[in-house]
Amino acid sequence: MASGQKIPARMTAIAISEPGGPRVLKPETRDVPQPGPGEILIKVHAAGVNRPDVQQRKGAYPPPPGASDLPGLEVSGEVAALGDQISRWRIGDRVCALTPGGGYAEYVRVHAGSVLPLPAGFTHTEAAAVPENYFTVWHNVFERGGLKKGETLLVHGGSSGIGTTTIQLASAFGAYVITTAGSQEKCDACLKIGADRAINYREQDFVTAVKEVTEGRGANVILDMVGGDYVQRNYEAAAVEGRIVQIAVQAGAVASADFSKVMVKRLTHTGSTLRPRTVEFKAAIAAALEAQVWPLLGTRKVAPVMDMIYPLTDAWRAHERMEEGEHIGKIVLDVG
């Protein structure tokens, strides 16, 4: 293992003391992890907070085999040490990375294929808001959903980290973007970053609104994090040959739906989870992002929408903020 500046033996990390509410997130002292072959050790400056972290804290989303038990799926920082078989990265490189866990800590080990250079001009807190959402959106909207220029996209939860990322990327690649959100403030924020139409789902039925906006055609691609009764409503809102991509089921994993809509409209309903996928799979997404999206980040044609930044030791407050549901964009931990 090659290392640069002196790396301490121990570090501060935020652990889940037991399944439960935000207050179960407790600072602990842990051994600094050691990078294995094909891995790098990152000195973390900032870590993104995501819905899967909340689910893991509650005991509903266990880490995959071999991953850290600490929460945290994305970080930014500096390369502190290199495992064997690393050719691209050097000690001191400023990077951001998708992690299978362990991001809520001062150091994290990550497979090199999930690491990307800090986008030009980005701060570490901004860069920590990128990997999880951009990997997820790129794969699910553009690869699984096959969104093309000129098509109509409906994204639910437009003011979330996933939603704000989807709006910007879909707009940048020439799609017409419709989104749902739960307040006028959130709808206005979505319109400001590139949505063509924002529907307050508390005041208007999104199926009716989508049909009105598209003159009855419906949405070509729908990105859904809700599940539950949205499944049937998505079928109603979809265009013929529409593609519905499921990435979460916040309203429930079980739904009753009229599957004749799938046949009549020739719909595709697919979905995915990112965390348990192979390092090779994630490396392929990273390569696509660096080629297709990093230039847009470098010119700020797209950029993470930042909500709140909390110190690492106040991770519980970040989780409270997320669960309150009032955030617009990304919540990030400042690790230092």
Side-chain angles (χ1 to χ4, degrees), residues 88-110:
R88 176 177 182 180
W89 303 108
R90 298 289 182 268
I91 304 297
D93 283 348
R94 301 172 75 235
V95 296
C96 59
L98 185 75
T99 80
Y104 290 16
E106 293 180 308
Y107 289 87
V108 65
R109 65 184 179 94
V110 183

Side-chain angles (χ1 to χ4, degrees), residues 5 31 35 43 55 113 122 153 194 304:
Q5 63 189 54
D31 290 338
K43 178 176 172 53
Q55 294 303 106
F122 272 47
L153 169 76

Side-chain angles (χ1 to χ4, degrees), residues 165-186:
T165 301
T166 301
I167 289 167
Q168 292 181 77
L169 280 180
S171 179
F173 283 96
Y176 184 90
V177 182
I178 305 171
T179 190
T180 62
S183 70
Q184 190 57 51
E185 179 189 11
K186 290 182 176 181

Side-chain angles (χ1 to χ4, degrees), residues 135 137-147 281 284-285 288-289:
F135 274 71
V137 171
W138 185 261
H139 175 58
N140 287 287
V141 174
F142 295 94
E143 295 181 346
R144 297 193 78 82
L147 183 67
F281 177 85
I285 298 178
L289 285 171

Side-chain angles (χ1 to χ4, degrees), residues 149-162:
K149 181 178 181 180
E151 289 191 319
T152 296
L153 169 76
L154 169 63
V155 53
H156 293 299
S159 61
S160 66
I162 289 285

